[in-house]
Amino acid sequence: MLERFNRLNYSKGMRLTDTLEKAFNDQLTLELTASHVYRQLAIELDLLDLSGMAEWMRAQAAEEVDHANLFIAHLDNRDNRPQIGAVPAPEVKVTSALDAFRIALEHEEKVSASIRALRKLADEEGDLDSRPLLDSFVTEQIEEEDTVRTIIGRLEIVGEDGSGILRIDRELGGREQQ
């Protein structure tokens, strides 16, 4: 315990600046917030009897926790202190699958903007060691937004057609957990 205390308080080598430490902690909190949003969207879709889409949202929620864990590990590996901030309860209610995926896209766009801002801040702070992690997240967010936009596009095509919605529900339920 004392060794860990000393490492956190006296090591200066690879540590993030205080500004970056706060920004990384804010990002890990946002990732956990995203997980909660996806979990609530899963609940909402289950209430609409769209279990495949709900399962897709649960997989997304788990992925967001994995992302938070990567930020925690990065902070810890750099001799900084990971600290989860306040994670608000999601205020999400949907009346259709399309509503749920529009909310998901809105949140992915928020996470993407935050990742890009964190990447820029790391550059401004001269932190080269964060680049691999942050660059991987920039790439991932492009893929995440594209995936959700594609689902939204397909839901818009089928409109209120129940058989089309159920076909998409079945396809999304077949997603493998990562």
Side-chain angles (χ1 to χ4, degrees):
M1 179 72 150
L2 183 58
E3 178 184 322
R4 179 76 178 142
F5 174 80
N6 287 335
R7 189 170 71 133
L8 281 173
N9 289 297
Y10 299 109
S11 174
K12 298 293 183 202
M14 292 180 38
R15 282 182 57 87
L16 296 165
T17 64
D18 290 346
T19 302
L20 271 176
E21 180 178 318
K22 181 186 180 319
F24 269 81
N25 279 321
D26 290 346
Q27 186 64 42
L28 84 86
T29 300
L30 183 59
E31 299 291 341
L32 293 173
T33 300
S35 176
H36 281 57
V37 168
Y38 276 117
R39 290 295 292 187
Q40 187 63 47
L41 289 171
I43 292 167
E44 297 293 322
L45 288 164
D46 271 332
L47 293 172
L48 295 174
D49 294 324
L50 296 170
S51 60
M53 291 180 193
E55 186 58 35
W56 189 91
M57 293 289 184
R58 282 189 287 278
Q60 284 297 111
E63 190 174 292
E64 299 299 341
V65 171
D66 290 343
H67 294 171
N69 287 334
L70 289 171
F71 283 104
I72 290 168
H74 186 77
L75 283 157
D76 182 48
N77 292 339
R78 301 281 303 274
D79 291 335
N80 290 86
R81 181 176 189 81
Q83 180 65 52
I84 299 169
V87 179
E91 295 183 25
V92 173
K93 289 189 171 109
V94 300
T95 58
S96 70
L98 188 55
D99 286 347
F101 282 92
R102 283 182 175 152
I103 291 167
L105 178 59
E106 183 180 301
H107 207 76
E108 287 294 346
E109 290 171 340
K110 182 178 179 179
V111 170
S112 294
S114 180
I115 292 285
R116 287 191 303 274
L118 182 55
R119 175 63 167 81
K120 288 177 189 174
L121 178 62
D123 278 353
E124 290 167 10
E125 296 279 320
D127 183 51
L128 301 177
D129 298 327
S130 293
R131 280 186 180 173
L133 175 68
L134 296 175
D135 286 347
S136 71
F137 274 106
V138 168
T139 300
E140 176 151 344
Q141 283 307 122
I142 291 168
E143 294 167 4
E144 293 291 338
E145 286 187 34
D146 180 57
T147 298
V148 177
R149 279 192 186 96
T150 299
I151 295 167
I152 289 171
R154 293 181 69 211
L155 287 168
E156 288 174 341
I157 289 169
V158 300
E160 297 296 318
D161 176 43
S163 62
I165 293 169
L166 291 174
R167 185 178 62 253
I168 295 169
D169 181 61
R170 184 175 52 253
E171 290 171 10
L172 292 177
R175 172 185 173 173
E176 290 184 26
Q177 292 260 350
Q178 302 195 12

